[in-house]
Coordinates of all heavy atoms in Angstrom, one line a residue:
G12 N -14.3 -16.8 7.6 CA -12.9 -16.6 7.5 C -12.5 -15.2 7.9 O -13.4 -14.3 8.1
V13 N -11.3 -15.0 8.0 CA -10.7 -13.6 8.4 C -10.5 -12.8 7.1 O -9.9 -13.4 6.2 CB -9.4 -13.8 9.2 CG1 -8.8 -12.5 9.4 CG2 -9.6 -14.6 10.5
A14 N -11.0 -11.6 7.1 CA -10.7 -10.7 6.0 C -9.3 -10.2 6.2 O -8.8 -10.0 7.3 CB -11.7 -9.6 6.0
W15 N -8.6 -9.9 5.1 CA -7.2 -9.4 5.1 C -7.0 -8.5 3.9 O -7.8 -8.5 3.0 CB -6.2 -10.6 5.1 CG -6.3 -11.4 3.8 CD1 -7.1 -12.5 3.7 CD2 -5.7 -11.2 2.6 NE1 -7.0 -12.9 2.4 CE2 -6.2 -12.1 1.7 CE3 -4.8 -10.2 2.1 CZ2 -5.8 -12.2 0.4 CZ3 -4.4 -10.3 0.8 CH2 -4.8 -11.3 -0.1
R16 N -5.9 -7.8 4.0 CA -5.5 -7.0 2.8 C -4.0 -7.0 2.7 O -3.3 -7.0 3.8 CB -6.1 -5.6 2.8 CG -5.6 -4.7 3.8 CD -6.1 -3.3 3.6 NE -5.9 -2.5 4.8 CZ -6.2 -1.2 4.9 NH1 -6.6 -0.6 3.8 NH2 -6.0 -0.5 5.9
K17 N -3.5 -7.0 1.5 CA -2.1 -6.9 1.3 C -1.7 -5.4 1.6 O -2.3 -4.5 1.1 CB -1.7 -7.3 -0.1 CG -0.3 -7.2 -0.5 CD -0.1 -7.6 -1.9 CE 1.4 -7.4 -2.4 NZ 1.6 -7.7 -3.8
L18 N -0.6 -5.2 2.4 CA -0.2 -3.8 2.7 C 0.9 -3.4 1.7 O 1.1 -2.3 1.4 CB 0.3 -3.7 4.1 CG -0.7 -3.8 5.2 CD1 -0.1 -3.7 6.6 CD2 -1.8 -2.8 5.0
G19 N 1.7 -4.4 1.2 CA 2.7 -4.1 0.3 C 4.0 -4.9 0.5 O 4.0 -5.7 1.4
R20 N 5.0 -4.5 -0.3 CA 6.3 -5.2 -0.2 C 7.2 -4.3 0.6 O 7.3 -3.1 0.4 CB 6.9 -5.5 -1.5 CG 6.0 -6.5 -2.2 CD 6.4 -6.8 -3.7 NE 7.8 -6.8 -3.9 CZ 8.3 -6.0 -4.9 NH1 7.5 -5.4 -5.8 NH2 9.6 -6.0 -5.1
V21 N 7.9 -4.9 1.6 CA 8.7 -4.1 2.6 C 10.1 -4.8 2.6 O 10.2 -6.0 2.8 CB 8.1 -4.2 4.0 CG1 8.9 -3.4 5.0 CG2 6.7 -3.6 3.9
K22 N 11.1 -3.9 2.6 CA 12.5 -4.4 2.8 C 12.8 -4.1 4.3 O 12.7 -3.0 4.7 CB 13.5 -3.7 1.9 CG 14.9 -4.2 2.0 CD 15.7 -3.6 0.9 CE 17.1 -4.4 1.0 NZ 18.0 -3.9 0.0
V23 N 13.1 -5.2 5.0 CA 13.4 -5.0 6.4 C 14.8 -5.3 6.8 O 15.5 -6.0 6.0 CB 12.5 -6.0 7.2 CG1 11.0 -5.6 7.0 CG2 12.7 -7.5 6.8
V24 N 15.2 -4.8 7.9 CA 16.6 -5.0 8.4 C 16.9 -6.5 8.6 O 16.0 -7.3 9.1 CB 16.7 -4.3 9.8 CG1 18.1 -4.6 10.4 CG2 16.5 -2.8 9.7
G25 N 18.0 -7.0 8.0 CA 18.4 -8.3 8.2 C 18.0 -9.2 7.0 O 18.4 -10.4 7.0
R26 N 17.3 -8.7 6.1 CA 16.9 -9.5 4.9 C 17.3 -8.7 3.6 O 17.1 -7.5 3.6 CB 15.4 -9.7 4.9 CG 14.9 -10.7 5.9 CD 13.5 -11.1 5.6 NE 13.1 -12.1 6.5 CZ 12.7 -13.3 6.1 NH1 12.7 -13.6 4.8 NH2 12.4 -14.3 7.0
S27 N 17.7 -9.4 2.6 CA 18.2 -8.8 1.4 C 17.0 -8.6 0.4 O 17.0 -7.7 -0.4 CB 19.3 -9.5 0.7 OG 18.9 -10.8 0.5
E28 N 16.0 -9.5 0.5 CA 14.9 -9.4 -0.4 C 13.7 -8.9 0.4 O 13.5 -9.2 1.5 CB 14.6 -10.8 -0.9 CG 15.6 -11.4 -1.8 CD 15.8 -10.5 -3.1 OE1 14.8 -10.1 -3.7 OE2 17.0 -10.3 -3.5
P29 N 12.8 -8.1 -0.3 CA 11.6 -7.6 0.3 C 10.7 -8.7 0.6 O 10.6 -9.8 0.0 CB 11.0 -6.6 -0.7 CG 11.8 -6.8 -1.9 CD 13.0 -7.6 -1.7
I30 N 9.8 -8.5 1.7 CA 8.8 -9.5 2.0 C 7.5 -8.8 1.8 O 7.4 -7.6 1.8 CB 8.9 -10.0 3.5 CG1 8.8 -8.8 4.5 CG2 10.2 -10.7 3.7 CD1 8.7 -9.2 5.9
T31 N 6.4 -9.6 1.6 CA 5.1 -9.1 1.4 C 4.4 -9.1 2.8 O 4.5 -10.2 3.4 CB 4.3 -9.9 0.4 OG1 5.0 -9.8 -0.9 CG2 2.9 -9.3 0.2
I32 N 3.8 -8.0 3.2 CA 3.1 -8.1 4.5 C 1.6 -7.9 4.2 O 1.2 -7.2 3.3 CB 3.6 -7.0 5.5 CG1 3.6 -5.6 4.9 CG2 5.1 -7.4 5.9 CD1 3.9 -4.6 5.9
Y33 N 0.8 -8.5 5.2 CA -0.6 -8.5 5.1 C -1.2 -7.9 6.4 O -0.6 -8.1 7.4 CB -1.2 -9.9 4.8 CG -0.7 -10.4 3.5 CD1 0.5 -11.1 3.4 CD2 -1.5 -10.2 2.3 CE1 0.9 -11.6 2.1 CE2 -1.0 -10.7 1.1 CZ 0.1 -11.4 1.0 OH 0.6 -11.9 -0.2
E34 N -2.4 -7.4 6.4 CA -3.1 -6.9 7.5 C -4.4 -7.7 7.8 O -5.2 -7.7 6.9 CB -3.4 -5.5 7.4 CG -4.2 -4.9 8.5 CD -4.6 -3.4 8.2 OE1 -4.9 -3.1 7.1 OE2 -4.7 -2.7 9.2
P35 N -4.5 -8.5 8.8 CA -5.8 -9.1 9.1 C -6.7 -7.9 9.6 O -6.3 -7.0 10.3 CB -5.5 -10.0 10.3 CG -4.2 -9.5 10.9 CD -3.5 -8.8 9.9
L36 N -7.9 -8.0 9.1 CA -8.9 -7.0 9.5 C -9.9 -7.4 10.5 O -10.5 -8.4 10.5 CB -9.7 -6.6 8.2 CG -8.8 -6.1 7.0 CD1 -9.7 -5.9 5.8 CD2 -8.1 -4.9 7.3
E37 N -9.9 -6.5 11.6 CA -10.9 -6.8 12.7 C -12.3 -6.7 12.1 O -12.5 -6.0 11.1 CB -10.7 -5.8 13.8 CG -9.3 -5.9 14.5 CD -9.1 -4.9 15.5 OE1 -10.1 -4.2 15.9 OE2 -8.0 -4.7 15.9
T38 N -13.2 -7.3 12.8 CA -14.6 -7.2 12.3 C -15.1 -5.9 12.1 O -15.7 -5.6 11.0 CB -15.5 -8.0 13.4 OG1 -15.0 -9.2 13.6 CG2 -17.0 -8.1 12.9
E39 N -14.9 -4.9 12.9 CA -15.4 -3.5 12.8 C -14.7 -2.9 11.5 O -15.3 -2.3 10.7 CB -15.1 -2.7 14.0 CG -15.7 -3.2 15.3 CD -14.9 -4.2 16.0 OE1 -13.6 -4.3 15.9 OE2 -15.5 -5.1 16.6
M40 N -13.4 -3.1 11.4 CA -12.6 -2.6 10.3 C -13.0 -3.2 9.0 O -13.2 -2.5 8.0 CB -11.1 -2.8 10.6 CG -10.2 -2.1 9.5 SD -8.5 -2.6 9.7 CE -8.1 -1.9 11.3
A41 N -13.2 -4.5 9.0 CA -13.6 -5.2 7.8 C -14.9 -4.8 7.3 O -15.1 -4.6 6.1 CB -13.6 -6.7 8.1
G42 N -15.8 -4.5 8.2 CA -17.2 -4.0 7.8 C -17.1 -2.7 6.9 O -17.8 -2.5 6.0
D43 N -16.1 -1.8 7.3 CA -15.9 -0.6 6.5 C -15.1 -0.8 5.3 O -15.3 -0.1 4.3 CB -15.2 0.5 7.4 CG -16.0 0.9 8.6 OD1 -17.3 0.8 8.5 OD2 -15.4 1.3 9.6
L44 N -14.1 -1.7 5.3 CA -13.2 -1.9 4.2 C -13.6 -2.9 3.1 O -13.2 -2.8 2.0 CB -11.8 -2.2 4.7 CG -11.1 -1.0 5.4 CD1 -9.8 -1.6 6.0 CD2 -10.9 0.1 4.5
V45 N -14.2 -4.0 3.6 CA -14.5 -5.1 2.6 C -15.1 -4.6 1.3 O -14.7 -5.0 0.3 CB -15.3 -6.2 3.3 CG1 -15.9 -7.2 2.3 CG2 -14.5 -6.9 4.3
P46 N -16.1 -3.7 1.3 CA -16.7 -3.3 0.1 C -15.7 -2.6 -0.9 O -15.8 -2.6 -2.1 CB -17.8 -2.2 0.5 CG -18.1 -2.6 1.9 CD -16.8 -3.1 2.5
N47 N -14.6 -2.0 -0.2 CA -13.6 -1.3 -1.0 C -12.3 -2.1 -1.2 O -11.3 -1.6 -1.8 CB -13.2 0.0 -0.3 CG -14.4 0.9 -0.3 OD1 -15.1 1.1 -1.3 ND2 -14.6 1.6 0.8
L48 N -12.2 -3.4 -0.7 CA -11.0 -4.1 -0.8 C -10.6 -4.4 -2.3 O -9.4 -4.3 -2.6 CB -11.1 -5.5 -0.1 CG -10.9 -5.4 1.4 CD1 -11.1 -6.8 2.0 CD2 -9.5 -4.9 1.7
S49 N -11.5 -4.6 -3.2 CA -11.2 -4.8 -4.6 C -10.5 -3.5 -5.1 O -9.5 -3.6 -5.8 CB -12.4 -5.2 -5.4 OG -12.1 -5.3 -6.7
M50 N -11.1 -2.4 -4.9 CA -10.5 -1.1 -5.4 C -9.1 -0.9 -4.7 O -8.2 -0.4 -5.4 CB -11.4 0.1 -5.1 CG -10.9 1.3 -5.7 SD -12.1 2.7 -5.8 CE -12.7 2.9 -4.2
Y51 N -9.0 -1.2 -3.4 CA -7.7 -1.0 -2.8 C -6.7 -1.9 -3.4 O -5.6 -1.5 -3.7 CB -7.9 -1.4 -1.3 CG -6.5 -1.5 -0.6 CD1 -5.9 -0.4 -0.1 CD2 -5.9 -2.7 -0.4 CE1 -4.6 -0.5 0.5 CE2 -4.7 -2.8 0.2 CZ -4.0 -1.7 0.6 OH -2.8 -1.8 1.2
H52 N -7.0 -3.2 -3.6 CA -6.0 -4.1 -4.2 C -5.7 -3.7 -5.7 O -4.5 -3.9 -6.1 CB -6.4 -5.6 -4.1 CG -6.3 -6.1 -2.7 ND1 -7.3 -6.6 -1.9 CD2 -5.1 -6.2 -1.9 CE1 -6.8 -7.0 -0.8 NE2 -5.5 -6.8 -0.7
D53 N -6.7 -3.2 -6.4 CA -6.4 -2.7 -7.7 C -5.4 -1.5 -7.7 O -4.4 -1.4 -8.5 CB -7.7 -2.2 -8.4 CG -8.6 -3.4 -8.8 OD1 -8.1 -4.5 -8.8 OD2 -9.8 -3.1 -9.2
A54 N -5.6 -0.6 -6.7 CA -4.8 0.6 -6.6 C -3.4 0.1 -6.2 O -2.4 0.6 -6.8 CB -5.3 1.5 -5.5
L55 N -3.3 -0.8 -5.3 CA -1.9 -1.4 -4.9 C -1.2 -2.0 -6.1 O 0.0 -1.8 -6.3 CB -2.1 -2.3 -3.7 CG -0.8 -2.9 -3.2 CD1 0.1 -1.8 -2.6 CD2 -1.1 -3.9 -2.0
A56 N -1.9 -2.8 -6.9 CA -1.3 -3.4 -8.0 C -0.8 -2.4 -9.0 O 0.3 -2.5 -9.6 CB -2.3 -4.4 -8.7
L57 N -1.6 -1.3 -9.3 CA -1.2 -0.3 -10.1 C 0.1 0.4 -9.6 O 1.0 0.7 -10.3 CB -2.3 0.8 -10.3 CG -3.5 0.3 -11.2 CD1 -4.7 1.2 -11.0 CD2 -3.0 0.2 -12.6
F58 N 0.1 0.7 -8.3 CA 1.3 1.3 -7.6 C 2.5 0.4 -7.8 O 3.6 0.9 -8.2 CB 1.0 1.5 -6.1 CG 2.2 2.1 -5.4 CD1 2.5 3.4 -5.4 CD2 3.0 1.2 -4.6 CE1 3.6 3.9 -4.7 CE2 4.1 1.6 -4.0 CZ 4.4 3.0 -4.0
E59 N 2.4 -0.9 -7.6 CA 3.5 -1.8 -7.7 C 4.0 -1.9 -9.1 O 5.1 -2.2 -9.4 CB 3.2 -3.1 -7.0 CG 3.1 -3.0 -5.5 CD 2.8 -4.3 -4.8 OE1 2.3 -5.2 -5.5 OE2 3.1 -4.4 -3.6
A60 N 3.1 -1.7 -10.1 CA 3.5 -1.7 -11.5 C 4.0 -0.4 -12.0 O 4.4 -0.2 -13.1 CB 2.2 -2.1 -12.3
G61 N 4.1 0.6 -11.1 CA 4.7 1.9 -11.4 C 3.7 2.8 -12.1 O 4.1 3.9 -12.6
K62 N 2.4 2.5 -12.1 CA 1.4 3.3 -12.8 C 0.8 4.2 -11.7 O -0.3 4.1 -11.2 CB 0.3 2.4 -13.4 CG 0.9 1.5 -14.5 CD -0.2 0.6 -15.1 CE 0.4 -0.2 -16.1 NZ -0.6 -1.2 -16.8
L63 N 1.6 5.3 -11.4 CA 1.3 6.1 -10.3 C 0.1 6.9 -10.4 O -0.7 7.1 -9.4 CB 2.5 7.0 -10.0 CG 3.8 6.3 -9.6 CD1 4.9 7.3 -9.3 CD2 3.6 5.3 -8.5
Q64 N -0.2 7.5 -11.6 CA -1.3 8.3 -11.8 C -2.6 7.5 -11.6 O -3.5 8.0 -10.9 CB -1.3 8.9 -13.2 CG -2.5 9.9 -13.5 CD -2.5 11.1 -12.6 OE1 -1.4 11.7 -12.4 NE2 -3.6 11.6 -12.2
E65 N -2.7 6.3 -12.2 CA -3.9 5.5 -12.0 C -4.0 5.0 -10.6 O -5.1 5.0 -10.0 CB -3.8 4.3 -12.9 CG -3.9 4.6 -14.4 CD -2.5 4.7 -15.1 OE1 -1.5 5.1 -14.4 OE2 -2.3 4.4 -16.2
A66 N -2.9 4.7 -9.9 CA -3.0 4.3 -8.5 C -3.5 5.4 -7.7 O -4.3 5.2 -6.8 CB -1.6 3.8 -8.0
Q67 N -3.0 6.6 -7.9 CA -3.4 7.8 -7.1 C -4.9 8.0 -7.2 O -5.5 8.3 -6.2 CB -2.7 9.0 -7.6 CG -2.9 10.3 -6.9 CD -2.2 11.5 -7.4 OE1 -1.9 11.6 -8.6 NE2 -1.7 12.3 -6.5
E68 N -5.4 7.9 -8.4 CA -6.9 8.1 -8.6 C -7.7 7.1 -7.8 O -8.7 7.4 -7.1 CB -7.3 7.9 -10.1 CG -6.7 9.1 -10.9 CD -6.8 8.8 -12.4 OE1 -7.4 7.8 -12.8 OE2 -6.3 9.6 -13.2
R69 N -7.3 5.8 -7.8 CA -8.0 4.8 -7.0 C -7.8 5.0 -5.5 O -8.8 4.9 -4.7 CB -7.5 3.4 -7.4 CG -7.9 3.1 -8.9 CD -8.5 1.8 -9.0 NE -9.0 1.4 -10.4 CZ -8.4 1.6 -11.5 NH1 -7.2 2.2 -11.6 NH2 -9.0 1.2 -12.7
F70 N -6.5 5.3 -5.1 CA -6.3 5.5 -3.6 C -7.1 6.7 -3.1 O -7.6 6.8 -2.0 CB -4.8 5.7 -3.3 CG -4.1 4.4 -3.2 CD1 -2.9 4.2 -4.0 CD2 -4.4 3.4 -2.4 CE1 -2.2 3.0 -3.9 CE2 -3.7 2.2 -2.3 CZ -2.6 2.0 -3.1
H71 N -7.3 7.7 -4.0 CA -8.0 8.9 -3.6 C -9.5 8.6 -3.3 O -10.0 9.2 -2.4 CB -7.9 10.0 -4.8 CG -8.5 11.3 -4.3 ND1 -7.9 12.1 -3.4 CD2 -9.7 11.9 -4.7 CE1 -8.7 13.1 -3.2 NE2 -9.8 13.1 -4.0
G72 N -10.0 7.6 -4.0 CA -11.3 7.2 -3.7 C -11.5 6.5 -2.3 O -12.5 6.2 -1.8
L73 N -10.3 6.1 -1.7 CA -10.3 5.4 -0.5 C -9.6 6.3 0.6 O -9.1 5.8 1.6 CB -9.5 4.1 -0.6 CG -10.0 3.1 -1.7 CD1 -8.9 2.1 -2.0 CD2 -11.2 2.5 -1.1
S74 N -9.7 7.6 0.4 CA -8.9 8.5 1.3 C -9.2 8.5 2.7 O -8.5 9.1 3.5 CB -8.9 9.9 0.7 OG -10.2 10.4 0.7
G75 N -10.4 7.9 3.1 CA -10.7 7.8 4.5 C -9.9 6.7 5.3 O -9.9 6.6 6.5
D76 N -9.2 6.0 4.5 CA -8.4 4.8 5.1 C -6.9 5.2 5.3 O -6.3 5.8 4.4 CB -8.5 3.7 4.1 CG -7.5 2.6 4.4 OD1 -7.5 2.1 5.5 OD2 -6.8 2.1 3.4
S77 N -6.4 5.0 6.4 CA -5.0 5.4 6.8 C -3.9 4.8 5.9 O -3.0 5.5 5.5 CB -4.7 5.2 8.2 OG -4.7 3.8 8.5
V78 N -4.1 3.6 5.5 CA -3.1 3.0 4.6 C -3.2 3.6 3.2 O -2.2 3.9 2.6 CB -3.3 1.4 4.5 CG1 -2.4 0.8 3.4 CG2 -3.1 0.8 5.8
S79 N -4.4 3.9 2.7 CA -4.5 4.5 1.4 C -4.0 5.9 1.5 O -3.3 6.4 0.5 CB -6.0 4.6 1.0 OG -6.5 3.3 0.8
K80 N -4.1 6.6 2.6 CA -3.6 8.0 2.8 C -2.0 7.9 2.7 O -1.4 8.8 2.1 CB -4.0 8.6 4.1 CG -5.4 9.1 4.1 CD -5.7 9.7 5.5 CE -7.2 10.1 5.6 NZ -7.5 10.7 6.9
A81 N -1.4 6.9 3.3 CA 0.0 6.7 3.3 C 0.5 6.5 1.9 O 1.5 7.1 1.4 CB 0.5 5.6 4.2
Y82 N -0.3 5.7 1.1 CA 0.1 5.5 -0.3 C -0.1 6.8 -1.1 O 0.8 7.1 -2.0 CB -0.7 4.4 -1.0 CG 0.0 3.1 -0.8 CD1 -0.5 2.1 0.2 CD2 1.1 2.7 -1.5 CE1 0.1 0.9 0.3 CE2 1.7 1.5 -1.3 CZ 1.2 0.6 -0.4 OH 1.9 -0.6 -0.2
L83 N -1.1 7.6 -0.9 CA -1.3 8.9 -1.6 C -0.1 9.8 -1.3 O 0.4 10.5 -2.2 CB -2.6 9.5 -1.1 CG -3.9 9.0 -1.8 CD1 -5.1 9.6 -1.1 CD2 -3.9 9.3 -3.3
E84 N 0.3 9.9 0.0 CA 1.5 10.7 0.3 C 2.7 10.2 -0.4 O 3.6 11.0 -0.9 CB 1.7 10.7 1.8 CG 0.6 11.4 2.6 CD 0.7 11.2 4.1 OE1 1.7 10.6 4.6 OE2 -0.3 11.7 4.8
R85 N 2.9 8.9 -0.5 CA 4.1 8.3 -1.1 C 4.1 8.6 -2.6 O 5.1 9.0 -3.2 CB 4.1 6.8 -0.9 CG 5.3 6.1 -1.5 CD 6.2 5.5 -0.4 NE 7.4 5.0 -1.0 CZ 7.7 3.7 -1.1 NH1 6.8 2.8 -0.7 NH2 8.8 3.3 -1.7
V86 N 2.9 8.5 -3.2 CA 2.8 8.8 -4.7 C 3.1 10.2 -4.9 O 3.8 10.6 -5.9 CB 1.4 8.4 -5.2 CG1 1.1 9.0 -6.6 CG2 1.2 6.9 -5.2
A87 N 2.6 11.1 -4.1 CA 2.9 12.5 -4.2 C 4.4 12.8 -4.1 O 4.9 13.6 -4.9 CB 2.1 13.4 -3.2
R88 N 5.0 12.2 -3.1 CA 6.5 12.4 -3.0 C 7.2 11.9 -4.2 O 8.2 12.5 -4.7 CB 7.0 11.6 -1.8 CG 7.0 12.4 -0.5 CD 7.9 11.8 0.6 NE 7.9 10.3 0.6 CZ 7.0 9.6 1.4 NH1 6.0 10.2 2.0 NH2 7.1 8.3 1.4
M89 N 6.8 10.7 -4.7 CA 7.5 10.1 -5.9 C 7.3 11.0 -7.1 O 8.2 11.2 -7.9 CB 7.0 8.7 -6.1 CG 7.4 7.7 -5.0 SD 6.5 6.1 -5.2 CE 7.4 5.3 -6.5
A90 N 6.1 11.5 -7.3 CA 5.8 12.4 -8.4 C 6.6 13.7 -8.3 O 7.1 14.2 -9.4 CB 4.3 12.7 -8.5
S91 N 6.7 14.3 -7.1 CA 7.4 15.5 -7.0 C 8.9 15.4 -7.1 O 9.6 16.3 -7.6 CB 7.0 16.2 -5.7 OG 7.6 15.5 -4.6
S92 N 9.5 14.2 -6.7 CA 10.9 14.0 -6.8 C 11.4 13.8 -8.2 O 12.5 14.1 -8.5 CB 11.3 12.9 -5.9 OG 11.0 11.7 -6.4
G93 N 10.5 13.2 -9.0 CA 10.9 12.9 -10.4 C 11.9 11.8 -10.5 O 12.4 11.5 -11.6
E94 N 12.2 11.2 -9.4 CA 13.2 10.0 -9.4 C 12.4 8.7 -9.4 O 11.3 8.6 -9.0 CB 14.1 10.1 -8.1 CG 14.9 11.4 -8.1 CD 15.8 11.5 -6.8 OE1 15.9 10.4 -6.2 OE2 16.3 12.5 -6.6
G95 N 13.1 7.7 -9.8 CA 12.5 6.4 -9.9 C 12.6 5.7 -8.5 O 13.2 4.7 -8.4
E96 N 11.9 6.2 -7.5 CA 11.9 5.6 -6.2 C 11.3 4.2 -6.3 O 10.3 4.0 -7.0 CB 11.1 6.5 -5.3 CG 11.1 6.1 -3.8 CD 10.3 7.0 -2.9 OE1 10.1 8.2 -3.3 OE2 9.9 6.5 -1.8
S97 N 11.8 3.3 -5.5 CA 11.3 2.0 -5.5 C 9.9 1.9 -4.9 O 9.5 2.7 -4.0 CB 12.2 1.1 -4.6 OG 11.7 -0.2 -4.4
V98 N 9.1 1.0 -5.4 CA 7.8 0.8 -4.8 C 7.8 0.0 -3.6 O 6.7 -0.3 -3.0 CB 6.8 0.2 -5.9 CG1 6.6 1.2 -7.0 CG2 7.2 -1.1 -6.4
V99 N 9.0 -0.5 -3.2 CA 9.1 -1.3 -2.0 C 9.4 -0.3 -0.8 O 10.2 0.6 -0.9 CB 10.3 -2.3 -2.1 CG1 10.6 -3.0 -0.8 CG2 10.1 -3.3 -3.2
W100 N 8.6 -0.5 0.3 CA 8.8 0.3 1.4 C 10.2 -0.2 2.1 O 10.4 -1.3 2.2 CB 7.7 0.1 2.4 CG 6.4 0.7 1.9 CD1 5.5 0.0 1.1 CD2 5.8 1.9 2.2 NE1 4.4 0.8 0.9 CE2 4.6 2.0 1.5 CE3 6.2 3.1 2.9 CZ2 3.8 3.1 1.5 CZ3 5.4 4.2 2.9 CH2 4.2 4.2 2.2
D101 N 11.0 0.8 2.5 CA 12.3 0.4 3.1 C 12.2 0.8 4.6 O 12.2 1.9 5.0 CB 13.4 1.2 2.5 CG 14.8 0.8 2.8 OD1 14.9 -0.2 3.6 OD2 15.7 1.3 2.3
V102 N 12.2 -0.3 5.5 CA 12.1 -0.1 6.9 C 13.6 -0.3 7.4 O 14.2 -1.3 7.3 CB 11.2 -1.2 7.6 CG1 11.2 -1.0 9.1 CG2 9.8 -1.0 7.0
K103 N 14.1 0.8 8.0 CA 15.5 0.8 8.3 C 15.8 0.5 9.8 O 16.9 0.3 10.3 CB 16.2 2.2 8.0 CG 16.1 2.5 6.5 CD 16.8 3.7 6.2 CE 16.6 4.1 4.8 NZ 17.4 3.5 3.8
E104 N 14.7 0.4 10.6 CA 14.8 0.1 12.0 C 14.0 -1.1 12.4 O 13.0 -1.3 11.8 CB 14.4 1.3 12.9 CG 15.2 2.6 12.6 CD 14.7 3.8 13.4 OE1 13.8 3.5 14.3 OE2 15.2 4.9 13.3
K105 N 14.4 -1.7 13.5 CA 13.6 -2.9 14.0 C 12.5 -2.3 14.9 O 12.5 -1.3 15.5 CB 14.5 -3.8 14.8 CG 15.3 -4.7 13.9 CD 16.0 -5.7 14.7 CE 16.9 -6.6 13.8 NZ 17.5 -7.6 14.5

């Protein structure tokens, strides 16, 4: 079967409710990521539950991955702003 990972919930133009998006993993990519998919999905679940410190620790262990890096940057922004930013990514352009 094809390996995949959940990327997160995204609010897109033209829809009022966020959608969940997934990334199919190519064979080369899957070979690097599959051993860490459980930790990645745990980190994502913590992020979506608003447990930013715990999510940050787990994403930090995956810092070689571009998606995990994006989440680390987002957690840092959310922590520095002190505001209750939504855990849903907001895509404003098509």
Side-chain angles (χ1 to χ4, degrees):
V13 174
W15 60 271
R16 68 174 164 174
K17 179 179 174 182
L18 292 181
R20 292 174 35 229
V21 178
K22 187 169 184 180
V23 296
V24 175
R26 290 191 171 243
S27 59
E28 293 298 318
I30 60 170
T31 301
I32 57 172
Y33 298 88
E34 175 185 32
L36 302 176
E37 297 177 14
T38 305
E39 302 81 33
M40 185 188 295
D43 294 335
L44 288 176
V45 166
N47 295 319
L48 277 178
S49 179
M50 185 164 52
Y51 168 83
H52 283 121
D53 288 347
L55 183 58
L57 288 165
F58 175 81
E59 290 180 339
K62 297 179 180 179
L63 300 182
Q64 182 66 38
E65 294 96 329
Q67 183 178 36
E68 291 168 7
R69 293 222 177 49
F70 281 127
H71 188 68
L73 302 165
S74 60
D76 168 49
S77 61
V78 175
S79 295
K80 284 181 184 177
Y82 272 106
L83 281 170
E84 291 170 7
R85 181 119 187 248
V86 168
R88 271 197 322 271
M89 291 169 77
S91 68
S92 74
E94 296 178 15
E96 184 178 338
S97 172
V98 296
V99 174
W100 294 83
D101 191 1
V102 179
K103 298 185 188 278
E104 298 178 5
K105 286 187 179 183

